[in-house]
Amino acid sequence: MTRRIADLLRNGQPDESVKIQGWVRTKRELKEFAFVEVNDGSSLAGLQVVLNQDLPDYANVVKRLNTGASVAVSGVLVASPAKGQRIELKAETATVYGEADPQTYPLQKKRHSFEFLREIGHLRSRTNTLSAVFRVRNACANAIHQFFQEQGFLWIHTPIITASDAEGAGEMFAVTSFNLKDVPRTDAQEIDYSQDFFGKPAYLTVSGQLEAEVMAMAFSNVYTFGPTFRAENSNTSRHLAEFWMVEPEMAFCDLGGNMDLAEAFLKHLFKSVLETCPEDMEFFNQRIDNSVLATADNIINNQFERLTYTEAIALLEKADKTFEFPVKWGLDLQSEHERYLAEEVFKKPVIVTDYPTEIKAFYMRLNDDEKTVRAMDILAPKIGEIIGGSQREERLDVLQRRIQEQGLNPDDYWWYLDLRRYGTVPHAGFGLGFERLVQFMTGMGNIRDVIPFPRAPLTVEF
Ligand code: 4AD
Ligand code: MG
């Protein structure tokens, strides 16, 4: 049976007979033998394989085993005389599955820029950095499920195609089966959606929240974790057109409970990933951003700062620093403001609550002052907003008014309003941008390098 290299590096014992399979990272040829480092994606470090003249077809095999080639090796583990590795594999047989021509294979042993690696998205996961990112991403996804499952949350699957704009911001991609060269029109020359696949306009979802609220009104505590889509034309290092979001929703919960859950959640994720991926996290700290481990420690051991939007504005107005964007009560916080608060004022994550009504979504619970809503954003150093959430408006009349005030059509939200007609309860939830979390954890500078196949303006290859 084939063993994974991570397992062998940890548990393999001298004299054990094993078989491994993977891709060659490096080859060193000496007179009588050759060293090949093989990586199978299970760990940052590969396994050193020693091939010597006894190997059947030695010269031919070694000639074919260039960087990028795929191989199966059977042999015996031996204690390694080399520094930095406990064991190595003495090959008895080696089968080359596929060669990689050194003249054309783009991933030769040298540093490549992340921009270049994005152009070879089909090969970049074979590099140290990207493979470490995707192992951490996997560990994080696993820890998310673990956290919610242990607390009795039901994992629900919310739709990807939807007819409603969950954020009311109109940043949706349309879904249609029309032939775009010949779209049916009504007599008034408007697009005749009654002839489209769903009989009305449909879109890719921007958030699973509204459906999560439906399910929370039956199961109390639920979460959805899936892809979401935004057609905002933001070419930044923190925006994707397709990203994954984790959205818990809790019945019988207010904003305080929501903040407590979000904070416990982030602490759990950092703790868990440090435990499951210590080598990868060490790698990020050494090679990508030397504050990665200190940040993790800070998240785990310190309480997040909590303040209102009004207090945040006061701090920003007092700052002896000039911002590019204006600071004024009523305007949304820009990334530079968020980062100033988290990085310079508090030096840890900050939860800002009670934003102005006008700049937040229709579903957030109106405060008694009517000027602010029970919103919360969690702002992280280097990233800015990583979580957005709120207590939801559970009062039918207020919600109807808010939908109208925001220029939305209440008919589109009939079922969402029904939740307030039948058995309404105080409830709250939030959305964590999964890629922003992975970015925050690994110190990776660009969000396009923490998702295997990034989707962004003019970017849809692979
Ligand atoms: O703040 P947002 O828009 O909140 C919602 O969608 C709510 N419905 C969530 C809820 O309460 N259930 O988005 C939530 C998070 C943001 O804080 C950010 O981390 C991430 O999603 N996000 C993006 N990540 C990558 N690319 C984008 N274009 C993103 N837009 C939002
Ligand atoms: Mg937000």
Side-chain angles (χ1 to χ4, degrees):
M1 205 184 69
T2 304
R3 298 273 297 273
R4 298 305 302 271
I5 288 170
D7 171 31
L8 292 181
L9 292 175
R10 217 172 299 128
N11 308 314
Q13 294 303 324
D15 297 333
E16 256 187 282
S17 287
V18 299
K19 177 184 174 189
I20 59 151
Q21 307 185 90
W23 292 265
V24 174
R25 281 291 176 81
T26 54
K27 172 171 78 171
R28 246 180 336 129
E29 276 185 83
L30 304 175
K31 252 220 182 87
E32 315 267 285
F33 42 99
F35 295 109
V36 170
E37 191 198 322
V38 178
N39 191 293
D40 66 359
S42 59
S43 63
L44 199 57
L47 184 64
Q48 169 143 296
V49 174
V50 190
L51 307 124
N52 69 29
Q53 310 268 359
D54 310 343
L55 190 81
D57 205 17
Y58 173 78
N60 184 37
V61 166
V62 170
K63 192 171 128 241
R64 298 173 71 206
L65 282 183
N66 293 308
T67 300
S70 48
V71 66
V73 183
S74 297
V76 180
L77 293 181
V78 294
S80 176
K83 241 186 89 184
Q85 56 189 20
R86 196 173 55 82
I87 49 158
E88 56 190 33
L89 178 60
K90 193 173 165 312
E92 287 169 350
T93 64
T95 310
V96 183
Y97 289 116
E99 296 176 34
D101 181 353
Q103 300 305 316
T104 59
Y105 185 60
L107 287 177
Q108 298 304 325
K109 182 90 187 165
K110 64 165 192 166
R111 278 240 184 170
H112 299 284
S113 72
F114 290 123
E115 288 77 16
F116 169 71
L117 292 176
R118 265 172 242 145
E119 291 168 16
I120 50 165
H122 57 309
L123 298 170
R124 67 174 184 165
S125 292
R126 301 184 193 182
T127 62
N128 281 343
T129 305
L130 274 291
S131 75
V133 166
F134 298 134
R135 277 188 300 275
V136 165
R137 187 179 164 109
N138 166 70
C140 230
N142 192 32
I144 285 166
H145 286 296
Q146 190 193 25
F147 177 84
F148 288 121
Q149 293 294 328
E150 275 172 9
Q151 305 211 22
F153 281 61
L154 200 75
W155 179 24
I156 53 154
H157 303 100
T158 47
I160 289 171
I161 300 176
T162 177
S164 44
D165 183 353
E167 291 300 300
E171 293 172 332
M172 302 197 292
F173 287 101
V175 176
T176 178
S177 62
F178 278 154
N179 171 1
L180 293 183
K181 289 192 187 126
D182 184 17
V183 175
R185 302 263 168 190
T186 61
D187 292 342
Q189 286 307 303
E190 284 173 351
I191 295 173
D192 185 2
Y193 284 105
S194 70
Q195 293 187 52
D196 202 354
F197 190 91
F198 297 105
K200 61 197 256 185
Y203 309 93
L204 294 178
T205 188
V206 295
S207 156
Q209 178 193 320
L210 305 193
E211 290 89 354
E213 284 185 57
V214 167
M215 300 303 270
M217 294 302 120
F219 297 99
S220 304
N221 292 338
V222 302
Y223 68 107
T224 179
F225 182 9
T228 49
F229 308 85
R230 298 208 180 164
E232 49 188 337
N233 202 358
S234 308
N235 244 316
T236 79
S237 60
R238 279 178 283 276
H239 287 86
L240 289 166
E242 175 179 305
F243 62 99
W244 285 62
M245 209 190 325
V246 188
E247 295 180 274
E249 191 69 33
M250 290 90 62
F252 318 107
C253 182
D254 61 10
L255 196 70
N258 204 20
M259 289 192 277
D260 291 345
L261 184 88
E263 183 166 347
F265 180 50
L266 287 177
K267 286 181 156 64
H268 169 84
L269 298 182
F270 274 87
K271 230 184 264 169
S272 176
V273 168
L274 281 181
E275 269 165 36
T276 45
C277 300
E279 287 149 18
D280 292 326
M281 291 299 286
E282 184 68 47
F283 171 85
F284 290 120
N285 200 61
Q286 267 177 27
R287 303 289 285 271
I288 301 295
D289 174 349
N290 64 11
S291 66
V292 159
L293 293 179
T295 298
D297 189 69
N298 184 359
I299 297 288
I300 294 168
N301 296 308
N302 290 311
Q303 276 208 328
F304 296 4
E305 191 67 31
R306 298 181 184 191
L307 72 164
T308 64
Y309 167 89
T310 303
E311 290 164 340
I313 291 292
L315 285 174
L316 290 166
E317 280 172 343
K318 276 206 321 244
D320 56 354
K321 180 177 177 131
T322 42
F323 294 111
E324 190 187 335
F325 291 93
V327 172
K328 195 176 148 223
W329 201 100
L331 297 180
D332 207 355
L333 300 183
Q334 300 296 322
S335 176
E336 57 173 345
H337 308 136
E338 298 175 339
R339 291 184 56 176
Y340 172 78
L341 293 170
E343 277 165 42
E344 295 179 43
V345 182
F346 297 108
K347 300 184 169 50
K348 60 183 180 176
V350 175
I351 312 184
V352 178
T353 61
D354 303 287
Y355 282 74
T357 313
E358 273 81 44
I359 59 171
K360 287 292 185 187
F362 65 91
Y363 52 70
M364 297 190 181
R365 193 178 199 282
L366 197 61
N367 281 320
D368 291 342
D369 64 10
E370 302 238 334
K371 288 200 309 239
T372 57
V373 287
R374 297 248 76 191
M376 66 160 199
D377 276 5
I378 302 193
L379 315 178
K382 302 219 170 116
I383 305 289
E385 180 190 340
I386 190 166
I387 280 181
S390 64
Q391 184 171 335
R392 318 305 189 190
E393 184 54 74
E394 85 283 12
R395 298 162 295 185
L396 179 64
D397 54 332
V398 183
L399 183 58
Q400 279 169 326
R401 176 153 63 86
R402 296 271 289 122
I403 287 177
Q404 244 137 14
E405 277 169 7
Q406 297 223 352
L408 301 167
N409 182 359
D411 294 346
D412 292 344
Y413 297 93
W414 67 271
W415 51 270
Y416 188 69
L417 290 165
D418 257 6
L419 300 176
R420 280 72 182 167
R421 281 192 186 96
Y422 309 118
T424 191
V425 300
H427 63 291
F430 63 82
L432 166 73
F434 187 50
E435 284 74 22
R436 290 200 188 165
L437 171 76
V438 178
Q439 245 193 307
F440 184 37
M441 233 175 221
T442 58
M444 293 294 287
N446 195 310
I447 197 165
R448 298 175 193 208
D449 300 327
V450 299
I451 184 166
F453 306 104
R455 300 303 181 231
L458 306 180
T459 304
V460 72
E461 195 70 43
F462 314 110

